[in-house]
Amino acid sequence: MCGIGLSMIPLCIIAKESPIAIAIHGGAGTIERSKFTPEKEKAYRAKLKEAVEAGYALLGKGGSSLDAVTTAITVLENSPFFNAGKGAVYTYDEKHEMDASIMYGKNRQAGAVSGVKHIENPINLARLVMDKSVHVMLSGKGAETFAKHQGIKLVDNKIFDTEHRYQSLLNAKKKLKAAHSNKDYQAKHNALPVNYKMGTVGAVALDKEGNVAAGTSTGGMTAKRFGRIGDSPVIGAGTFADNNSCAVSATGHGEYFIRYNVAADICARVQYQGKTIEQAGKEVIHDVLMPVGGTGGVIIIDTKGNISLPFNTKGMYRATKSNTTNTYVGIFKAD
């Protein structure tokens, strides 16, 4: 039954359901329909749907945006389809080095790990860095020592092996070998000659309390060397969340996302210029990154439950769900 307010309007009409929403991504790049069999496309869409609905289920029960983000990303890390966790790409030395980060919009607390090799779900370790340490980012062996102190079991690096990622490494090494014979490349021997296959998974969410959160996890770049770290664990570049603006998770060529501080730039445009997340995201992804060669995309959510998914590549694995919209899953630009 409805109570009656001072204005004689039923209180059940005045009260509005608090918005809850979540968006996820599984990487952006040269994703073309011609390279997908009907069975493969169906499998990818099913996994994206599973991840976004797992996160949304927590929100629907009153769970926090942090828990929703962590849950959705864990589903993607456990799938060999995406470049994170079980599907992480190979380094030049035929290993896997993974990065992850998470941020809470309520208080701008954040946690990140980089270059970890024996953590089954890096996003969970990033969450522990935020919740159980005084630090923001831990790397390599230090991060794994912290993990052991927190009761996380270290795993064999080989559990992340997948045949299709290994073939990608072999192809990348062939291109590297050819490039090394090129004198122009030799003058820039510390740079990769080709934008080798990359990818990332991420999630952004809004809970019933009005708090946003963002998280990102990745295996990095195929054939990466020298302990290369991309934007995914860098707060402000690959991940950012602030209740005063929005939450962002990025995917793409990390070096550009770091240099242009992409995630934080989008939120700054929202907060200080009064732009919508759609306007801010489009400006940064299309007008800032594209002219300098930066490729990729982002997922964005604000405290009203609005979602935007801009990308400047041929496709981006993505999915959304809110209390006012049904589950949406997209892969190709036309979706």
Side-chain angles (χ1 to χ4, degrees), residues 2-18:
C2 298
I4 302 297
L6 294 177
S7 63
M8 303 304 291
I9 299 175
L11 293 178
C12 59
I13 295 177
I14 295 175
K16 290 185 177 180
E17 184 180 6
S18 299

Side-chain angles (χ1 to χ4, degrees), residues 97-99 112-119 125 137-147 154 229:
E97 295 177 0
M98 292 159 288
D99 312 320
V113 293
S114 64
V116 295
K117 299 179 181 179
H118 304 97
I119 305 298
L125 183 55
M137 183 186 291
L138 300 180
S139 66
K141 291 183 178 179
E144 294 182 349
T145 298
F146 172 76
L154 302 190
I229 296 170

Side-chain angles (χ1 to χ4, degrees), residues 62-63 118 124 142 203 214 236 255 277:
H118 304 97
N124 290 337
E255 280 69 14
I277 59 172

Side-chain angles (χ1 to χ4, degrees), residues 100-168:
S101 64
I102 194 166
M103 188 170 184
Y104 193 31
K106 181 178 180 179
N107 52 19
R108 287 177 61 152
Q109 290 295 303
V113 293
S114 64
V116 295
K117 299 179 181 179
H118 304 97
I119 305 298
E120 188 168 7
N121 292 108
I123 192 64
N124 290 337
L125 183 55
R127 176 79 180 270
L128 284 172
V129 172
M130 179 180 71
D131 291 341
K132 302 295 184 179
S133 83
V134 297
H135 307 298
V136 172
M137 183 186 291
L138 300 180
S139 66
K141 291 183 178 179
E144 294 182 349
T145 298
F146 172 76
K148 288 191 289 185
H149 288 174
Q150 295 300 318
I152 292 183
K153 180 182 177 181
L154 302 190
V155 299
D156 192 316
N157 195 254
K158 289 186 179 297
I159 75 163
F160 306 111
D161 290 356
T162 52
E163 182 59 28
H164 69 290
R165 298 297 190 196
Y166 187 64
Q167 291 303 317
S168 293

